[in-house]
Amino acid sequence: MTEVKANMAGSVWKIVVTEGDEVTSGQDLLILESMKMEIPIATDDDGTVKELKVKEGDFVNEGDVVAILE
């Protein structure tokens, strides 16, 4: 299993995958909004989205786990 973590603090603006989706390395999973900028959070690995740990509107801190891949 692979944990995908937020690389900065911000609000979850949009989630672009759903649980069960197949994803590839470099693919965006969600987009954070911070300081009026949109920051995509991508996976570094191929896999299947097992669990999304956040929902749109949630606030995350740098290092928080936002998704788990298997």
Side-chain angles (χ1 to χ4, degrees), residues 6-44:
N7 55 11
M8 69 180 307
S11 296
V12 178
W13 179 69
K14 185 174 186 180
I15 297 175
V16 296
V17 296
T18 58
E19 291 178 1
D21 284 358
E22 294 286 326
V23 294
T24 57
S25 179
Q27 182 175 343
D28 292 344
L29 303 182
L30 56 96
I31 301 170
L32 296 181
E33 188 276 325
S34 181
M35 299 181 292
K36 299 186 181 183
M37 296 179 358
E38 295 175 8
I39 300 99
I41 304 298
T43 178
D44 292 329

Side-chain angles (χ1 to χ4, degrees), residues 56-70:
E56 291 180 4
D58 285 355
F59 185 84
V60 297
N61 288 303
E62 182 176 354
D64 285 356
V65 175
V66 296
I68 296 180
L69 306 181
E70 61 179 358

